[in-house]
Amino acid sequence: MRAAGRVVFRALSRAREMARPGMTTLELDRVVYDTYTSAGGHGLFQWYPTYEPGKGFPGNTCISVNDEVVHGIPGDRVLKDGDVVSVDCGIQLGGYCGDSAITIPIGQVSPECEKLCRVTEETLALAIREVRPGRRWTDVAAKMQEHVEKNGFSCVREFVGHGIGVKMHEDPKVPNFVSDDFRKKGDFYLQPGMTLAIEPMVIAGQCDVVVLDDGWTVVTKDSTPAAHSEHTIAVTATGCDVLTDGR
Ligand code: MG
Ligand code: MG
């Protein structure tokens, strides 16, 4: 999984280097695709979830701009100064998966967007610091939610992190917030050897989201910007090991 994670890291680093005003999201998708295929990685997003060509997600990466939260389809949209662009990449290498996302500020972004990107990254970093064996996931999720909300932002409810291993999406569900329902039915204790994708999705305004007519792109209902940050991690005997940080 670390080998897969290293390739995902390289692909996203390349996207961060290359993203600039005037580039289309399809061109950015190509940069990511070329990086992971040249390393022998097999993309997990195209034609998800059926993997039947022509059915499912029509892109190699999810590229979501401004009020798009997740699952944006790469296309002819041109990036411009001030945009915030989240790039999500999942691949399989040697039978194991890596899944990671970053949000890239394009040129000079507003102070609000700068704070949004920073708080989203901080929320992921905070979760990683809090992961250790024997702890309940809701204890970690409560701290993530608190950090987002004390900064005046909100956590997406409809989409959550997940277990990951030989498949991209495995049990358990890994939310970035706490609900009574999840406490009763979904909570779990962190155990050494568990591998999870932790992925805060943060909205500058209210938490409500809508899926566009393309069937994929998730946008904020109030049109405020959103950011997304994700790492694949392993729970170890003493804490947490990040598998998609390039080591
Ligand atoms: Mg992802
Ligand atoms: Mg994921």
Side-chain angles (χ1 to χ4, degrees):
M1 286 183 72
R2 186 183 297 287
R6 203 177 286 137
V7 173
V8 170
F9 174 82
R10 209 180 302 153
L12 291 178
S13 302
R14 190 90 181 108
R16 197 189 285 279
E17 270 166 44
M18 297 296 290
R20 59 175 59 91
M23 189 178 206
T24 67
T25 55
L26 191 62
E27 287 170 324
L28 192 57
D29 179 76
R30 206 11 101 166
V31 167
V32 176
Y33 177 78
D34 288 346
T35 312
Y36 71 63
T37 49
S38 65
H42 166 71
L44 291 165
F45 290 1
Q46 192 172 42
W47 313 131
Y48 177 90
T50 62
Y51 296 116
E52 281 179 61
K55 291 184 187 173
F57 186 75
N60 300 298
T61 57
C62 295
I63 301 186
S64 310
V65 183
N66 297 339
D67 65 330
E68 298 172 353
V69 185
V70 285
H71 307 163
I73 301 169
D76 55 12
R77 181 170 185 164
V78 177
L79 300 180
K80 56 184 200 315
D81 193 58
D83 283 346
V84 281
V85 182
S86 84
V87 182
D88 192 348
C89 174
I91 68 140
Q92 195 176 46
L93 183 76
Y96 292 93
C97 299
D99 185 8
S100 180
I102 57 173
T103 298
I104 308 167
I106 304 296
Q108 189 67 45
V109 303
S110 68
E112 186 197 40
C113 284
E114 207 175 280
K115 182 180 168 192
L116 178 69
C117 293
R118 175 175 56 77
V119 168
T120 306
E121 284 176 11
E122 284 170 359
T123 303
L124 177 57
L126 176 158
I128 288 165
R129 282 198 306 276
E130 294 292 331
V131 165
R132 66 190 66 127
R135 179 163 258 195
R136 278 187 306 231
W137 176 255
T138 45
D139 294 338
V140 179
K143 290 190 190 251
M144 295 173 80
Q145 182 175 3
E146 184 193 2
H147 188 66
V148 168
E149 291 177 356
K150 85 173 182 212
N151 279 284
F153 300 144
S154 53
C155 298
V156 173
R157 304 299 166 120
E158 281 84 349
F159 299 90
V160 297
H162 48 93
I164 178 169
V166 292
K167 287 195 286 185
M168 175 167 63
H169 291 143
E170 298 184 354
D171 286 337
K173 285 188 165 50
V174 184
N176 311 298
F177 58 91
V178 176
S179 65
D180 286 345
D181 196 46
F182 185 79
R183 261 191 214 286
K184 279 188 212 128
K185 295 181 202 153
D187 205 2
F188 58 92
Y189 285 92
L190 292 161
Q191 294 169 32
M194 271 184 174
T195 46
L196 307 172
I198 304 177
E199 48 180 316
M201 290 156 254
V202 180
I203 298 179
Q206 301 300 310
C207 67
D208 310 273
V209 296
V210 180
V211 180
L212 296 184
D213 288 342
D214 62 23
W216 288 103
T217 314
V218 177
V219 299
T220 62
K221 199 168 177 186
D222 61 9
S223 300
T224 58
H228 181 203
S229 202
E230 176 178 24
H231 271 310
T232 296
I233 65 101
V235 184
T236 66
T238 51
C240 179
D241 194 357
V242 181
L243 303 175
T244 43
D245 63 359
R247 285 176 300 136

